[in-house]
C-alpha cells in the first residue's frame, strides 16, 4: 500500500510551516523598520508624521497577521485529516479588520496633520518586509 503524499510541500520544497515562519519574520522585521523610520520621520517632519508612520505600519502588520490566519485556515481546509477552523469567523475577522483599517486611515488623516508620505511609508514597509522575507525563504529553499 502506498503512503499518502505530503501535499503541504510545494514543488520547490517549501512547507506551510516555512511560509508561516516567513510571515511571522516579516512582521518582526516590519516592527524593527517601523521604529527606525518613525524616529527619522519624527526628526525630519515632526511627531505627527511619526504617528502617521506608526499607524501605517500597524495597519500593515495587522494585514500580514490576517493574511496569515486566512492562509492557515485555507490550508487546513485543503489538508486531509485536520480539524479546520470555522471559515466564517476567519473571514469575518479579515473583513472587520479591513473596515477598521479604513476608519483608522480616515481618522488619522483628518486629525493628525503630518505628511501623507509617512502614512504611505508605513504601509509600504509591510510590503518591503514581506518581500525581504520571501527572498530569504526562496534562498533557503532546496531548489
Amino acid at each position: 500500500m502506498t503512503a499518502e503524499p505530503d501535499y503541504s510541500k510545494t514543488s520547490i520544497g517549501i512547507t506551510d510551516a516555512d511560509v508561516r515562519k516567513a510571515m511571522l519574520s516579516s512582521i518582526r522585521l516590519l516592527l524593527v523598520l517601523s521604529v527606525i523610520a518613525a524616529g527619522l520621520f519624527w526628526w525630519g517632519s515632526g511627531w505627527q508624521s511619526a504617528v502617521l508612520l506608526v499607524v501605517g505600519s500597524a495597519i500593515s502588520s495587522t494585514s500580514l497577521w490576517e493574511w496569515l490566519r486566512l492562509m492557515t485556515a485555507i490550508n487546513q481546509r485543503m489538508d486531509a485529516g485536520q480539524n479546520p477552523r470555522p471559515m466564517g469567523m476567519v473571514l469575518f475577522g479579515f473583513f472587520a479588520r479591513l473596515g477598521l483599517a479604513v476608519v483608522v486611515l480616515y481618522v488619522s488623516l483628518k486629525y493628525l496633520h503630518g505628511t501623507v508620505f509617512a502614512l504611505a511609508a508605513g504601509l509600504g514597509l509591510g510590503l518591503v518586509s514581506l518581500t525581504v522575507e520571501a527572498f530569504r525563504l526562496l534562498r533557503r529553499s532546496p531548489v
Side-chain angles (χ1 to χ4, degrees), residues 1 3-4 8 12-13 19 21 29 34 58-59 64-65 68-69 71 79 87 113 117 120 125 127 129 132 142:
M1 212 155 140
E4 183 73 25
S8 65
I12 58 174
V19 175
K21 183 179 171 187
L29 179 61
S34 297
I59 290 171
L64 289 173
W65 179 255
L68 177 64
R69 286 187 59 208
M71 177 193 69
D79 291 344
M87 200 62 166
H113 302 290
F117 295 116
L125 283 177
L127 182 61
S129 66
V132 166

Side-chain angles (χ1 to χ4, degrees), residues 29-43 45-61 104-105 108-109 112-126:
L29 179 61
L30 172 61
L31 294 176
V32 170
L33 292 175
S34 297
V35 168
I36 294 168
L40 292 174
F41 270 98
W42 192 324
W43 177 66
S45 300
W47 69 269
Q48 293 95 344
S49 294
V51 171
L52 280 174
L53 182 119
V54 168
V55 166
S57 296
I59 290 171
S60 290
S61 65
V104 168
L105 282 172
S108 63
L109 285 173
L112 292 172
H113 302 290
T115 178
V116 176
F117 295 116
L119 183 63
L123 293 170
L125 283 177

Side-chain angles (χ1 to χ4, degrees), residues 14-25:
I14 297 173
T15 64
D16 293 342
D18 293 334
V19 175
R20 179 177 176 78
K21 183 179 171 187
M23 289 288 283
L24 293 174
S25 294

